[in-house]
Amino acid sequence: MNFILFVTGPPYGTQNSITAFLFVKSILFLNHHIKKIFFYSSGVYNANIMISPPINEFNILKGWINLKEKYNLKLCICPSSAYRRGILLNKSIIKSKYIQEIYSSSFNLTSLSELSYSINNCDRIIQF
C-alpha cells in the first residue's frame, strides 16, 4: 500500500509530528511504501535546522533525517508556508544580510500542485 503523509503540526508542543514519525516507522515495519512526507503550515518547522532540544529529549529533525537516509524517503516542505514562517528566506535578504536558509538540506521544496499530483498515485493520505 502506498501512503502520503501530510504533517501540519509543529515539531514540539503538539503530538502531531511525533505521532507522524511513529506512524512512519510502523508503516515501514509492515513493509508498506511511503511516497512522500509533506510538511505544511506549522509542520514546516520540522525542517528547521535551529531545533536544539535538550540532550535527553528526542530530536525530531534528526529522527526525520535518519528515516530519510535509511528508507530513502522524500521529505517535502511547502515553500509558501516556509516563507510565512521564516524557514525559507527571500534571496535578496540572503544576499544583502548574509543570512542563510534555516531549513535542512534533507528536505525538498515541493508545491501544493505537485502534492496533489502525487495524491492521485497513492492509496492513502494521512494528515497529522
Side-chain angles (χ1 to χ4, degrees):
M1 191 169 262
N2 292 318
F3 288 85
I4 290 180
L5 269 67
F6 193 68
V7 181
T8 58
Y12 299 102
T14 67
Q15 291 295 311
N16 297 45
S17 293
I18 193 66
T19 304
F21 179 81
L22 294 172
F23 181 79
V24 168
K25 287 180 70 170
S26 63
I27 287 298
L28 295 170
F29 179 76
L30 295 172
N31 293 321
H32 292 293
H33 182 26
I34 297 184
K35 293 186 67 131
K36 280 185 183 165
I37 303 172
F38 189 79
F39 297 89
Y40 181 73
S41 188
S42 294
V44 298
Y45 288 125
N46 285 275
N48 187 346
I49 59 172
M50 303 299 282
I51 291 175
S52 182
I55 193 92
N56 62 342
E57 290 182 17
F58 178 67
N59 187 326
I60 192 79
L61 175 62
K62 288 183 181 177
W64 288 122
I65 292 170
N66 289 340
L67 279 180
K68 174 193 167 59
E69 292 171 355
K70 185 174 181 179
Y71 296 103
N72 196 26
L73 297 176
K74 293 178 183 170
L75 303 176
C76 307
I77 60 172
C78 174
S80 60
S81 291
Y83 276 123
R84 283 187 208 106
R85 289 163 178 81
I87 303 297
L88 183 65
L89 302 173
N90 186 319
K91 296 296 181 194
S92 62
I93 293 173
I94 294 170
K95 289 178 184 175
S96 66
K97 297 186 180 178
Y98 303 103
I99 298 173
Q100 296 179 349
E101 307 282 9
I102 61 169
Y103 74 94
S104 171
S105 61
S106 297
F107 291 74
N108 299 320
L109 299 175
T110 306
S111 67
L112 286 173
S113 59
E114 188 176 330
L115 172 68
S116 63
Y117 177 76
S118 298
I119 289 172
N120 285 329
N121 300 322
C122 77
D123 299 313
R124 301 279 188 269
I125 181 167
I126 313 276
Q127 180 180 352
F128 292 94

